[in-house]
Amino acid sequence: MERVLVNGQALDAVATTDRGLLYGDGVFETLAVDAGRPCYWSAHMQRLQSACQLLGLGAPDAAQLWREGLSLIGDRQRAVLKIVITRGPGGRGYRAPESPLPTRILQIHEWPDYSDTCQHDGIRTTLCATRLGRNPSLAGIKHLNRLEQVMARREWDDRTISEGLMLDTGGQLVEGTMSNIFLVTAGTLCTPDLTQCGVAGIMRARVLAIAGQERMEYQVQGISVDDLRQADEVFVCNSLIGIWPVCAVDEQAYVRGTVTTRLQVLLQEDAAARTAR
Amino acid sequence: MERVLVNGQALDAVATTDRGLLYGDGVFETLAVDAGRPCYWSAHMQRLQSACQLLGLGAPDAAQLWREGLSLIGDRQRAVLKIVITRGPGGRGYRAPESPLPTRILQIHEWPDYSDTCQHDGIRTTLCATRLGRNPSLAGIKHLNRLEQVMARREWDDRTISEGLMLDTGGQLVEGTMSNIFLVTAGTLCTPDLTQCGVAGIMRARVLAIAGQERMEYQVQGISVDDLRQADEVFVCNSLIGIWPVCAVDEQAYVRGTVTTRLQVLLQEDAAARTAR
């Protein structure tokens, strides 16, 4: 069973002239596969389309990605599907070819061996020294320029720490290296606004949508380290982990609160309903 | 004659698991080849070493790169040698493998067909709308996260415009998409300081070194658009073009001045002396 398709072919390589490699000129999506099907497919496709549009990459063919995704998934029930779209091969220099031939990479990965305690008891995190640069023109996009996350992830080696939290260069809390972050303070849910930097996660959008449906109070706003220190509950989320309560940011402890637990339950119902469709 | 070597092998491909492709987790150098030899080799190697060190990539073997570079150059007299070092293949996720096996890519390209008028009469440029994000932790480094340059280069299609100038998100002038920039104002040479963003070019360093040797007054400092508007002379430089006078930034015209001309002559002597060694 293949593990990688490049432009529909069972190849595990791209040309050294690929602009994804040379400039990070591309975007990606990481999807949970459950019961043999990619979860939140249409949300991922919408985000992929708008990212490609912003970069001028042309609209990827979602039906083709679906077919290729299913062929890679095969009879796997639980897995991770990664989709990468680059501007494809080009000559030397930043100028893109006049008629780019984007490269389409699909990879299937084993489902990560997440401990159940992450869901139940929460995770320990650390506040990273590496900051995120602010740039509204690329903010929100899940593009291939991810050195800041790589550098942040290099900061800790302690396997009991599951995530690193990142501030931007202005000192505002933005996200985890691989997740979005939410705080609950005096009953109000809040998450950093991502107009300056950060990745606008699919799970973040689901949590906000669910909060709206449930008429929970929530705010998308600038969040400082002080706000983080004073929060009653903290959790992180992404497409693979769902919601993980944060039980520690370095030396400061947090307890899993009722809002986090409620959102975990609602998110699980939401995911189950979508898988069943 | 080969055009690409990947880890010393005549392959034109890297694995889809390469972190250079997935995260831009790597660095590069672009060298002019003149009289069959890479120019300013030791300066490029020093910059490559410090970039690799900052990223924790391990020191590349300069002697090996030299041998491989020469084998690609073959009997070419004038060419462009590009060297890319990535953190190599890895699993899914930002965490680097414990023992990374960096990928070493050398590519040889034809010498670009630069018009002589660029050197003599100068080039037209445009001020790009795309801004550079500020992040001191990665500033100066020639890493593979180059989407900002790609987006800026997409802003113009007019072939009479040879370069785009870029501001950072704070509105300071930083560089061209593929070059560093210098102004001459009231006889003083100045170039943007690159502590917040930008690539610390080899040719920029040579120009500063030559200015120092010649006891020319120069300053490395913050430069605003107003400073650019009021400059008497403007030029850009990189390893391939040497120094190109700027004769226009959008509608504003500049003339090639005596400082630019003098530096062009001195830089040509400097390059000739280094090639002869």
Side-chain angles (χ1 to χ4, degrees):
Chain A
M1 214 155 27
E2 300 302 338
R3 300 193 144 265
V4 186
L5 291 175
V6 177
N7 294 333
Q9 304 296 306
L11 291 169
D12 191 10
V14 297
T16 58
T17 53
D18 197 283
R19 293 172 59 96
L21 171 69
L22 299 176
Y23 306 127
D25 190 4
V27 294
F28 71 110
E29 294 287 333
T30 306
L31 298 91
V33 173
D34 195 14
R37 290 289 176 275
C39 304
Y40 296 109
W41 178 259
S42 60
H44 282 285
M45 285 305 106
Q46 276 169 32
R47 183 172 66 172
L48 185 63
Q49 301 273 4
S50 34
C52 285
Q53 192 166 20
L54 191 131
L55 265 55
L57 281 175
D61 179 341
Q64 181 182 52
L65 292 173
W66 176 259
R67 281 194 307 275
E68 294 181 358
L70 289 195
S71 90
L72 277 182
I73 291 167
D75 59 7
R76 291 176 180 89
Q77 293 300 299
R78 205 97 173 93
V80 177
L81 177 65
K82 184 163 176 165
I83 300 174
V84 182
I85 309 281
T86 81
R87 205 179 305 271
R92 206 189 51 74
Y94 296 121
R95 185 189 171 88
E98 289 188 17
S99 307
L101 296 167
T103 302
R104 180 175 82 252
I105 304 166
L106 283 86
Q107 300 174 325
I108 196 90
H109 296 270
E110 299 300 310
W111 184 254
D113 187 22
Y114 296 133
S115 157
D116 277 351
T117 60
C118 295
Q119 286 272 356
H120 299 132
D121 304 333
I123 59 162
R124 291 181 58 217
T125 68
T126 184
L127 195 58
C128 295
T130 304
R131 300 287 180 99
L132 295 163
R134 292 176 170 189
N135 197 343
S137 67
L138 293 170
I141 301 299
K142 204 168 167 77
H143 54 65
L144 295 174
N145 278 202
R146 298 265 79 102
L147 254 184
E148 291 170 332
Q149 283 78 9
V150 168
M151 296 305 282
R153 188 57 191 84
R154 285 175 52 78
E155 290 185 35
W156 80 96
D157 203 31
D158 178 346
R159 287 185 180 266
T160 70
I161 294 178
S162 302
E163 177 59 310
L165 306 184
M166 299 186 74
L167 309 180
D168 68 17
T169 49
Q172 295 282 293
L173 179 67
V174 181
E175 60 189 4
T177 62
M178 61 162 190
S179 63
N180 289 113
I181 189 165
F182 282 81
L183 313 184
V184 182
T185 307
T188 298
L189 184 68
C190 54
T191 192
D193 106 89
L194 304 178
T195 54
Q196 298 299 312
C197 51
V199 175
I202 296 298
M203 211 44 72
R204 174 180 179 270
R206 282 317 302 158
V207 169
L208 290 175
I210 290 168
Q213 285 156 20
E214 298 291 315
R215 302 185 181 217
M216 294 166 69
E217 259 191 86
Y218 73 85
Q219 293 185 325
V220 178
Q221 61 185 28
I223 294 180
S224 68
V225 176
D226 274 352
D227 295 331
L228 173 64
R229 298 290 177 219
Q230 285 155 24
D232 303 314
E233 306 176 35
V234 179
F235 66 86
V236 295
C237 65
N238 76 24
S239 290
L240 304 187
I241 66 178
I243 288 173
W244 280 352
V246 168
C247 64
V249 178
D250 295 312
E251 302 309 311
Q252 183 175 357
Y254 297 85
V255 289
R256 181 169 81 165
T258 52
V259 176
T260 303
T261 305
R262 186 165 163 223
L263 284 167
Q264 282 185 308
V265 171
L266 291 167
L267 187 63
Q268 271 161 14
E269 290 171 4
D270 183 71
R274 283 169 175 261
T275 307
R277 264 175 232 163
Chain B
M1 211 152 31
E2 301 302 338
R3 300 194 146 263
V4 186
L5 290 175
V6 177
N7 294 332
Q9 304 297 306
L11 290 168
D12 190 10
V14 298
T16 58
T17 53
D18 197 284
R19 293 172 59 97
L21 171 68
L22 299 177
Y23 307 128
D25 190 5
V27 295
F28 71 109
E29 293 288 333
T30 305
L31 298 91
V33 173
D34 194 14
R37 290 288 177 273
C39 304
Y40 295 109
W41 177 259
S42 61
H44 282 284
M45 286 303 108
Q46 276 168 35
R47 183 173 66 170
L48 185 64
Q49 301 272 3
S50 35
C52 285
Q53 192 165 18
L54 190 130
L55 266 53
L57 281 176
D61 179 342
Q64 182 182 51
L65 292 174
W66 176 259
R67 282 194 308 275
E68 294 181 357
L70 288 195
S71 89
L72 277 183
I73 291 166
D75 59 9
R76 291 177 180 88
Q77 293 302 297
R78 204 98 173 92
V80 177
L81 176 64
K82 183 160 177 167
I83 300 175
V84 181
I85 309 281
T86 82
R87 204 182 304 272
R92 206 188 51 74
Y94 296 121
R95 185 188 172 88
E98 290 188 16
S99 307
L101 296 167
T103 302
R104 182 175 80 251
I105 304 166
L106 285 86
Q107 301 173 325
I108 196 89
H109 296 267
E110 300 300 311
W111 183 255
D113 186 22
Y114 296 133
S115 155
D116 277 352
T117 60
C118 294
Q119 286 270 355
H120 299 132
D121 305 331
I123 59 162
R124 292 182 57 216
T125 69
T126 184
L127 194 59
C128 295
T130 304
R131 301 289 180 98
L132 294 163
R134 293 176 168 188
N135 197 343
S137 66
L138 292 170
I141 301 299
K142 205 169 166 77
H143 54 64
L144 296 174
N145 278 201
R146 298 265 79 101
L147 253 184
E148 292 169 333
Q149 282 78 10
V150 168
M151 296 304 284
R153 187 60 191 82
R154 284 175 52 76
E155 290 185 35
W156 81 95
D157 202 32
D158 178 345
R159 287 184 180 269
T160 69
I161 294 178
S162 301
E163 176 61 308
L165 307 183
M166 298 186 75
L167 309 180
D168 69 16
T169 50
Q172 295 284 292
L173 180 67
V174 182
E175 60 190 4
T177 62
M178 59 161 193
S179 63
N180 289 114
I181 187 164
F182 284 79
L183 314 184
V184 181
T185 306
T188 298
L189 184 68
C190 54
T191 193
D193 107 87
L194 304 179
T195 54
Q196 298 298 311
C197 51
V199 174
I202 296 298
M203 211 44 72
R204 173 181 180 271
R206 283 316 303 155
V207 170
L208 291 174
I210 290 168
Q213 286 159 21
E214 298 291 316
R215 305 189 178 212
M216 295 165 69
E217 259 191 87
Y218 72 86
Q219 293 185 325
V220 178
Q221 61 186 27
I223 294 179
S224 67
V225 176
D226 273 352
D227 295 334
L228 173 64
R229 297 290 176 216
Q230 286 155 24
D232 303 315
E233 304 176 34
V234 179
F235 66 85
V236 295
C237 65
N238 76 25
S239 290
L240 304 188
I241 65 178
I243 288 174
W244 280 353
V246 169
C247 65
V249 179
D250 296 312
E251 301 310 310
Q252 185 175 358
Y254 297 85
V255 289
R256 181 169 81 165
T258 53
V259 177
T260 303
T261 305
R262 186 165 164 223
L263 284 167
Q264 283 186 307
V265 172
L266 291 167
L267 187 63
Q268 271 161 15
E269 291 171 6
D270 182 72
R274 285 171 173 256
T275 306
R277 262 175 232 160

